[in-house]
Amino acid sequence: MTVLSRCSTAAANPTVAATFSYLIRALSSSSKFDSETDLNRNKPATLATLNREPEGRNVQWVFLGCPGVGKGTYASRLSNLLVVPHISTGDLVRDELASSGPLSSQLKEIVNQGKLVSDEIIIDLLSKRLEMGEAKGETGFILDGFPRTVRQAEILEGVTDIDLVINLKLREEALLAKCLGRRICSECGGNYNVASIDIKAENGRPRMYMAPLPPPPQCASKLITRPDDTEEVVKQRLRIYQAMTRPVEDFYLIRGKLLEFDLPGGIPESWPKLLRALNLEDHDDKQSAAA
């Protein structure tokens, strides 16, 4: 599998699970990334200088952005367009929570408090997902929710080449409203949003409108709110993100792999602009126009 292409000689040809066991041991080492020093030595990347995937293999992309910004939405669309697996560590955590497995109770407490799940747990869940994908013959990926720390980014860089990192950005007031409006169908697992976001233009910033993403009739009476989507928890997640994950943006910026993308509104407005930024075309976009 491509994800294993750069493992060290000492760990040559291991299984995915064994490789990530090696990576878990590596977590005990301290980060070597000094963002201030490194940024002073490097210039910001431009779209023209961003690295692209080598010819002959599928893309290996990462989505960054605050919790609730829409990483899963746009990663999923690109996954369908490019025919590569979309791997969301958030979904992996939620699946583990629903499974009542050995990590379920520990994860429940972490998630409900708005804390970040530890590197060890995330890598364990990710290793299982990659092992399953390897068995199915998957190549390439779009990662959503990983890496969240510089240490995770260093570990990922040690085992595979990341071609591009897409950093989604959204105004904080819109982000908070979007998170509080998220709903899930308790039966089919579909994701919807009841928030109607309309932010007036001011201080030179344009108006932003994001329409609700309503459920189909069969799901309307089965909507539930994620336990971690409360105002207090959402604000706590944003504070943690600012402290821990922003340095990851710098990590990829100095490597010429970071594409900053400010979401101008909902899906109808943002999706075509994101495709243009990525030099892609979607000839068969029949998905819902609502955001």
Side-chain angles (χ1 to χ4, degrees), residues 45-60:
T46 63
L47 182 59
T49 64
L50 289 170
N51 294 334
R52 298 297 184 184
E53 65 282 355
E55 191 173 342
R57 72 157 167 80
N58 288 331
V59 302
Q60 296 184 170

Side-chain angles (χ1 to χ4, degrees), residues 1-4 14-20 85-89 91-93 95-96 123-141:
M1 186 177 182
T2 307
V3 73
L4 299 177
T15 64
V16 176
T19 298
F20 274 82
H86 165 215
I87 303 177
S88 164
T89 53
D91 288 344
L92 296 179
V93 168
D95 289 345
E96 185 67 23
I123 290 174
D124 181 53
L125 295 175
L126 184 57
S127 70
K128 293 175 182 176
R129 171 60 182 85
L130 291 173
E131 187 177 33
M132 182 177 66
E134 182 185 35
K136 295 191 296 184
E138 290 179 351
T139 63
F141 52 76

